[in-house]
Every structure is written in structure tokens, then in C-alpha cells.
Amino acid sequence: MSDVANLVEYIRSSACSPPASTVSAGTLGRKSRFSYQHLAQLQSYSSTCPLRVVALIDMDAFYAQCEMVRLGVGAEQPLAVCQWQNLIAVNYAARQNGITRFVTSAEARKLCPDIVLQHTPTWKEGEEDWAYREHAAEHIATQKVSLDPYRRQSRAIFAHIRQQLAPAPRQRVEKASIDEVFIDLSAQIHAGLLERHAALLAGPPPYDDPSERLPRPPPATTAALDWQDDTVIEIEPADADPDADPDADEDPDWDDVALQMGADIIRRVRAAVRASLGYTTSAGIAGNKMLAKLAAGHRKPAQQTVVRRRAVPRFLAGMRVTQIRNLGGKLGAAVVAAFGTEQVAELRALARPQLMRALGDDSGSWLYATLRGVDSSEVQARTQIQSMLSAKSFRPSVNSAAQAARWLRIFVADLFARLVEEGVLEHKRRPKTISLHHRHAGLTKSRQTAIPAGQAISAPVLWDLARRLLDLIVEEGQAWPCAHLSLSLGGFEDAPRDTRGIGAFLQRGPPPKAAITVSEPASGPERTDARGTKRKLDGRTIHHFFPRRDSAPHRAASGDDDVDGDVDADGNIDADVDDVVGDAPPIPAPTEPATPDGLALHPADDADHDDASPAPGLLTYRCATCHTTPLRQEKDEHDDWHFAQQLQREEEEDVRHAATAAAAINPAAASAASSARPPPKLEKGQRRLAFGR
């Protein structure tokens, strides 16, 4: 071969090969199980990306910790938070003495004489704020529980968590409850992978084919995987799991690198919360929300658990099906009744058709995937509340409108104080609707009306609206005795600054009765829908199985004892709830009968919960206005559309009325004004026809 040919061959080989310094042993031989497409999906928060990393941070015994921090109580001192005679939170020192949330205050004192029993603060009629009061448990008939101090601490903790994460758009945080937050770390980890391994991952895929597999992680990277004190679920041997990837092996891959990076991030966040605010937290790091939730409760308190992707079968095998999210209620009970076992390992052996025959197509398919650790629900970038509720279950019952009105004043003061914290006075956010729920003789009546859009929200405004709703219920009769009242605000939206809506100019006097929504669920299996048609509830649809909220009784049934709830001895709630829209299981949602407020009916739902937002177990809901079934996460936009349509109709009606009134007063002027309007401008190629000439 000539010298020129040798030179050409050398240049060609040099152009096709990376520099020697960029080639490591990890790039040789077998490739990764993950592709360049998977890497790109990681950046876009794809819920089906196999490299995805989701974390759940859970405050340990949160209400109890709030009181421990406030009172300066050490971790070794037993403490419980009381609501009347019941315990709603127990710290870990008290649990070591056999105390749980299912014992009374008196029983707790017998089990542990030196326990600190701290009652929640309460609202009292005639006072403008809640307070910690001595002997509060003796005044159940005249006072109402407030959870404001816990809510404030929750906001402070969540704000601190967000400060420790990468700035948007590499941050996606979802408030799951007052003491839990989901974090999708995918985009932040994607950036970290490219920064640390630019030579391997930053370039375009070979042949511009995104399905090409990535090179293996360098041995130095996999050897340096350090889980520190984390609990790591070890991977399942490939021959032990029939569902395992046949190409899988026990060598660490990019999914393990991503999880280790996520574990480092969450460990730093938890340490910052402990150092700055004094709260301990537990965490779970996994490939989806369901696994992260289970992992967070796996080792408590003040620990975190990492579930490696190939360790999912082993992690789930020893669990009960009722421990899994959305399976702690009716659906879990139906599964156990149908197959005679609650063990995940035994249920995994069932074929998909067998599950579908027993539970229905949707529920069976969803359960089949869930038992294998599959969950494609997204982390919604939402930390703001969508609704507020203040409620009271009465013992003895309320027997007059005057008594009910006194409680409404307390509800209004409670809600308005929370609105102030939400920024209503600074025009940051405001609710659109107010609802009153009234229970008599086992039946619940609900009345709802819009809050005037152009009117500043104040306690007197809310009181006036609430009193009108109560008057409507009283006028219908059969209102006493009343066992339960609740007042809720819903449809929260960001309010425009320094502007007044057109409603401020059009609203005159009280809203017409036609503007008030009436919702009256029946107590039996037969319900009346928005069109007045009686329909039977079908318990076979998956909606029937899922609870409306992740309430304390439901969570306790799932086996999670680290739950803070506000439940009385009868399972009723002296509720003080800020509701954040949850996530639904990724399954098609059949249409169910709808109430006039547009939400599908759930026979077992307790009316103590807020009806202002859709149930977490629903993917869609039935709109009573247009009789369509929009997606649950689009409810706010859908309601806004109806509200805009209604506002437009009101404006057009007012304009027509004004024109009619003007014509009646001065017909000549109205005619002259109409004839004086200039003719519309003609476009090119058009001409005006001379009609009547």
C-alpha cells in the first residue's frame, strides 16, 4: 500500500474512533440495557422512562413532631397529640410503650404515666384566632379543633425542601398531604449524568438511532456507588423471577447510577430540614410514585430506602396487597375476598385474564400491573391547595338555626384566617365557590354558590354567603337535629393584581337562586343524577373501590401506622382540611352516575370530606353542566370555561337590558344612535349593495 493510501486509511480510522482518553473499559463489550431514547425521556419527566427516579419525603409522626419542636421536647420523651379524648398522633417514644392512635387519652396515661398529652389548638366563638387552651377536651360541644399550626409548619418544611432542589424546570414537586411530598428528580439527574459522563452520554446516538443502547457505565462509577446508611433492596436473581428481563444481570447499570444520585440528593434535603427546622423525615427513592411511597414507610423513623429496579419483585413479595396505594380500601378487600389471600407473592402468580374475570377488565388489568410494581402516574407540579374545608360533627346535635349560625361564624373565621395565609389580601389567590354541607337523619344536603368575582373577599362576605346557603336548607324543612355541618371553599385560582373583574360592575344585591347549585345525595344504593333520573350504583366499576381522599382511617387500614389524622371516636372528622388534588391510577374510567356538582358518586364516602375537588381515585368525572366526562386533572380549566361562558351570557344580557331601557326612555335617541353608527369598512373586492334605492 502506498504512503498516500496509508495516510487516507489512518485519517478514516481516526475520524471514526473516539480519542483514546475517552474510551474506558465500561464502553467495551456488552452495552447497557438502556437506550439513548431512555436518556432523552429522563429529561422530559416521562412517566414510563425506565431510568426515572421519584422520591417521597414523609415527616415522621408529623403532628407529634410539631408539638415536640414547639414545646422543646426531646425524642426520648413520650408525647401524643389529642383531639378531645382521642389520639391523632403518637411519637415513637410513646409507641415503645404500646400506645397507638387507637387508644383514648385515659388509656394512654395508664400505659405511660409520664406521657405528654397535648391537645390541638381550638377555635372558640367570639374569638378571632385559635389558641392552645387548658382543659380543651372538656369543651367538645362549644369549641372546634384547629390544625393551623401544623399547616404552617408543613408550608415551612415544603418551602425549605424546594430551596434545596435544583431550580425550575429541573424541579417537580407535588404536595401529597400535609406531611408528604413527592419529588420527580428525573430532569435534575439527567443534567447530572451529562455533566459527570459527558464523554459517554452527551453526543448523538450512533447512526442517529435513538434506539441504540448506551455504553455501560464506567467501572470506576459503578465501583463508587455508595448508598451510605440507606436501606437498599437487593436485586432479585434473574432465574428467581419469571417476569425478569432475560438480558438483565447483576452488574450495576445506569438505573442504579441514577438511583444513587437521587438518594444523595434526598439525603442532603432531609439533612437540611433537620438542621434548619428540627424535623426528622423518612424517604423512599424508586422508579415511580407507588414504590417510593412503599419505600418511605419501609424503615422509620429518620431513614430512607432505595428500591433498585431489578429488586422490585423481592421488595413487593413480602407485602400485603392492602399496603399498596389505592388498595387499602374496597378494591383491596374485593381482591382478598375473590382470591382468599392478601399476599402479593401469591397474587402475582395469577394470570391477567383471571384477575380481569374476577374484578372487571379495568380493575384486573390495573391490578396485574400494580402487583409488578408498574405505576405511570405523574408527579404533578403542584404544591398549592385547591380547596379548604372547616367542619364539625355535633354530639349532642344542633337543634336550631341560631346554633348552626354560631358554628358558621367559627367556620368562616377559620377559613378566612387560612385565606389570609394563602395571600387573598394581596390578591395572590382566591376561591371561586363556597359550599355548605348539612347532615340530618343520615342524609346530607349540599348547597353551593359562586363567590362574586369582582368583590374583595372578607370574613363578612363569606359569612353573608354561608348564611344564605344555610337559609336555603332551613327553608326546605327537616333540618333539625343537625349532626354535622361543614363549610368549604373551592376552585382556587391565581387572582389578577390591581384589577377588578367585570362582575364588580354587574353584581347587584344577592345572587339569584338560580345561581345556587343544589346537591342532595341519597343514602341508599339508588341515587338521582343531575337530570332527575334515578340510577342504580354499580359496584363493579373501579370508581366504586377507590376512596375520595387519603384519609386517616383509610391509611390506617393499609397498615401505615405513621399517619396523622383528625378523627373522632366514631370515625367522624372535626375537619380542618386543606385539600390538594391527588393522582389517579392510570386506568380508563367508566362513567358513573353523577351528582349535580359534577362528581361521580361514591356510596361509602363520608360527607365530612371536601367535595370541591374530584376524588383521587377517578381519572375522569361527569360534568353536570354539559354532561361530558373531562379528565379529572382538567376540572379547573373545564369549570373556568363554564364560568367564562356564564359571565359572557350575563354581560350580553345586561347590555340588552340597558339598550332596551334606553330605548324605552328615549326612542328617538336610540334610533339616531343606531343609524349614526358608521357602516363597516369594505374589504378589497367588495362593494356595498344599494338595497331599497
Side-chain angles (χ1 to χ4, degrees), residues 452-456 499-509 647 650-651:
Q455 187 173 8
T499 59
R500 297 182 66 197
I502 192 170
F505 302 97
L506 300 181
Q507 188 74 26
R508 293 292 183 269
L647 185 59
E650 291 176 357
E651 293 174 7

Side-chain angles (χ1 to χ4, degrees), residues 55-59 153-167 171-175 177-185 188 265-266 268-274 276-277 279-283 383:
L56 176 77
I57 296 180
D58 184 4
M59 274 68 85
Q153 291 301 304
S154 174
R155 279 194 291 267
I157 294 171
F158 289 164
H160 199 71
I161 288 175
R162 299 195 69 157
Q163 291 174 3
Q164 308 306 314
L165 300 172
Q171 177 188 110
R172 181 170 287 187
V173 178
E174 175 187 329
K175 180 180 176 182
S177 68
I178 194 172
D179 62 345
E180 294 177 321
V181 58
F182 282 109
I183 306 172
D184 194 330
L185 296 165
Q188 184 172 348
I265 294 170
I266 297 302
R268 291 195 300 269
V269 170
R270 294 174 51 241
V273 170
R274 178 67 183 273
S276 300
L277 303 176
Y279 289 89
T280 66
T281 59
S282 298
T383 57

Side-chain angles (χ1 to χ4, degrees), residues 85-216:
Q85 299 298 329
N86 306 298
L87 306 186
I88 63 172
V90 180
N91 72 357
Y92 289 90
R95 296 181 191 188
Q96 293 176 359
N97 290 272
I99 299 173
T100 70
R101 290 180 297 106
F102 304 102
V103 303
T104 65
S105 300
E107 293 169 339
R109 182 72 71 186
K110 291 180 181 179
L111 290 170
C112 182
D114 63 339
I115 189 173
V116 175
L117 296 176
Q118 175 60 58
H119 198 281
T120 63
T122 59
W123 286 91
K124 185 178 180 181
E125 185 182 0
E127 298 187 4
E128 297 182 354
D129 204 353
W130 53 264
Y132 286 94
R133 311 176 196 277
E134 292 187 12
H135 311 297
E138 300 173 6
H139 301 283
I140 185 173
T142 58
Q143 296 181 14
K144 180 197 173 302
V145 162
S146 172
L147 303 183
D148 274 7
Y150 315 123
R151 187 180 300 106
R152 291 175 180 177
Q153 291 301 304
S154 174
R155 279 194 291 267
I157 294 171
F158 289 164
H160 199 71
I161 288 175
R162 299 195 69 157
Q163 291 174 3
Q164 308 306 314
L165 300 172
R170 294 178 184 172
Q171 177 188 110
R172 181 170 287 187
V173 178
E174 175 187 329
K175 180 180 176 182
S177 68
I178 194 172
D179 62 345
E180 294 177 321
V181 58
F182 282 109
I183 306 172
D184 194 330
L185 296 165
S186 299
Q188 184 172 348
I189 289 174
H190 177 269
L193 286 173
L194 294 187
E195 181 179 350
R196 297 184 188 182
H197 306 284
L200 292 177
L201 305 177
Y207 317 109
D208 291 327
D209 182 4
S211 64
E212 281 287 320
R213 293 189 176 186
L214 294 165
R216 279 271 183 172

Side-chain angles (χ1 to χ4, degrees), residues 53-58 60 92 180-182 229-234 259 263 266 270 281-309 311-312 315-316 319 323-325 373 375 560 562:
V53 178
V54 175
L56 176 77
I57 296 180
D58 184 4
D60 299 320
Y92 289 90
E180 294 177 321
V181 58
F182 282 109
D229 295 329
D230 298 351
T231 299
V232 181
I233 308 301
E234 295 301 328
L259 281 171
I266 297 302
R270 294 174 51 241
T281 59
S282 298
I285 300 96
N288 58 52
K289 294 174 72 174
M290 179 192 74
L291 294 173
K293 167 72 173 175
L294 290 171
H298 186 64
R299 290 284 186 269
K300 281 194 167 194
Q303 299 188 55
Q304 66 182 42
T305 299
V306 181
V307 182
R308 299 174 67 182
R309 183 170 178 267
V312 171
F315 179 58
L316 294 177
M319 292 189 175
Q323 293 178 259
I324 300 176
R325 289 177 68 236
D375 176 21
D560 183 4
D562 192 17

Side-chain angles (χ1 to χ4, degrees), residues 197-510:
H197 306 284
L200 292 177
L201 305 177
Y207 317 109
D208 291 327
D209 182 4
S211 64
E212 281 287 320
R213 293 189 176 186
L214 294 165
R216 279 271 183 172
T221 298
T222 56
L225 290 178
D226 182 11
W227 306 104
Q228 298 190 26
D229 295 329
D230 298 351
T231 299
V232 181
I233 308 301
E234 295 301 328
I235 65 175
E236 185 82 13
D239 57 355
D241 179 21
D243 297 321
D245 184 351
D247 297 329
D249 54 54
E250 298 186 9
D251 293 336
D253 208 333
W254 289 113
D255 56 342
D256 297 310
V257 176
L259 281 171
Q260 194 268 334
M261 293 174 64
D264 287 344
I265 294 170
I266 297 302
R267 194 181 304 112
R268 291 195 300 269
V269 170
R270 294 174 51 241
V273 170
R274 178 67 183 273
S276 300
L277 303 176
Y279 289 89
T280 66
T281 59
S282 298
I285 300 96
N288 58 52
K289 294 174 72 174
M290 179 192 74
L291 294 173
K293 167 72 173 175
L294 290 171
H298 186 64
R299 290 284 186 269
K300 281 194 167 194
Q303 299 188 55
Q304 66 182 42
T305 299
V306 181
V307 182
R308 299 174 67 182
R309 183 170 178 267
R310 287 164 286 171
V312 171
R314 172 174 290 181
F315 179 58
L316 294 177
M319 292 189 175
R320 303 185 308 274
V321 69
T322 51
Q323 293 178 259
I324 300 176
R325 289 177 68 236
N326 296 319
L327 283 168
K330 293 184 179 181
L331 181 55
V335 171
V336 174
F339 301 106
T341 180
E342 60 178 359
Q343 298 301 317
V344 170
E346 297 178 12
L347 292 170
R348 275 173 56 94
L350 301 175
R352 187 198 303 264
Q354 190 174 355
L355 296 174
M356 294 170 64
R357 283 194 301 270
L359 303 173
D361 291 349
D362 295 335
S363 301
S365 296
W366 178 82
L367 180 62
Y368 182 85
T370 299
L371 293 172
R372 286 152 179 78
V374 177
D375 176 21
S376 59
S377 58
E378 296 183 356
V379 173
Q380 303 289 339
R382 187 197 305 268
T383 57
Q384 294 180 319
I385 65 169
Q386 300 303 307
S387 59
M388 289 180 179
L389 178 143
S390 187
K392 178 73 175 180
S393 294
F394 303 113
R395 293 193 304 269
S397 298
V398 167
N399 290 289
S400 70
Q403 284 182 290
R406 287 197 292 270
W407 281 108
L408 282 187
R409 285 194 180 277
I410 294 177
F411 296 167
V412 166
D414 179 16
L415 292 173
F416 185 70
R418 289 145 65 183
L419 284 175
V420 170
E421 294 184 0
E422 283 294 307
V424 69
L425 297 183
E426 294 81 17
H427 306 289
K428 294 179 180 179
R429 304 189 76 223
R430 60 177 287 142
K432 293 190 296 185
T433 60
I434 181 170
S435 303
L436 177 65
H437 310 282
H438 171 284
R439 184 188 301 156
H440 162 71
L443 299 178
T444 298
K445 295 181 180 180
S446 299
R447 301 295 180 266
Q448 175 179 297
T449 189
I451 299 173
Q455 187 173 8
I457 295 181
S458 64
V461 168
L462 295 179
W463 159 247
D464 185 54
L465 294 171
R467 183 55 193 258
R468 291 177 193 165
L469 295 176
L470 178 62
D471 289 343
L472 285 177
I473 294 176
V474 173
E475 288 173 3
E476 297 173 2
Q478 297 184 345
W480 319 113
C482 172
H484 177 85
L485 272 179
S486 65
L487 191 67
S488 63
L489 303 174
F492 275 76
E493 61 183 356
D494 293 332
R497 292 174 178 264
D498 302 323
T499 59
R500 297 182 66 197
I502 192 170
F505 302 97
L506 300 181
Q507 188 74 26
R508 293 292 183 269

Side-chain angles (χ1 to χ4, degrees), residues 63 81-83 86-90 101 120 147 563-567:
Y63 293 172
V81 180
C82 309
Q83 175 178 309
N86 306 298
L87 306 186
I88 63 172
V90 180
R101 290 180 297 106
T120 63
L147 303 183
V563 177
D564 295 316
D566 43 335
V567 185

Side-chain angles (χ1 to χ4, degrees), residues 573-658:
I573 296 178
D574 186 359
D576 182 15
V577 180
D578 285 344
D579 182 32
V580 177
V581 174
D583 57 284
I587 49 178
T591 302
E592 280 214 353
T595 62
D597 61 0
L599 303 180
L601 294 171
H602 292 248
D605 285 346
D606 192 279
D608 298 24
H609 299 311
D610 189 2
D611 289 335
S613 58
L618 300 176
L619 189 63
T620 63
Y621 73 100
R622 177 67 177 266
C623 176
T625 304
C626 61
H627 305 295
T628 61
T629 54
L631 292 175
R632 178 193 57 76
Q633 59 265 33
E634 296 176 356
K635 182 179 188 300
D636 287 343
E637 296 181 9
H638 190 76
D639 290 346
D640 288 342
W641 182 79
H642 281 304
F643 180 75
Q645 292 289 316
Q646 179 184 356
L647 185 59
Q648 181 179 353
R649 289 192 294 268
E650 291 176 357
E651 293 174 7
E652 293 174 349
E653 187 68 20
D654 286 341
V655 170
R656 285 195 295 269
H657 287 174

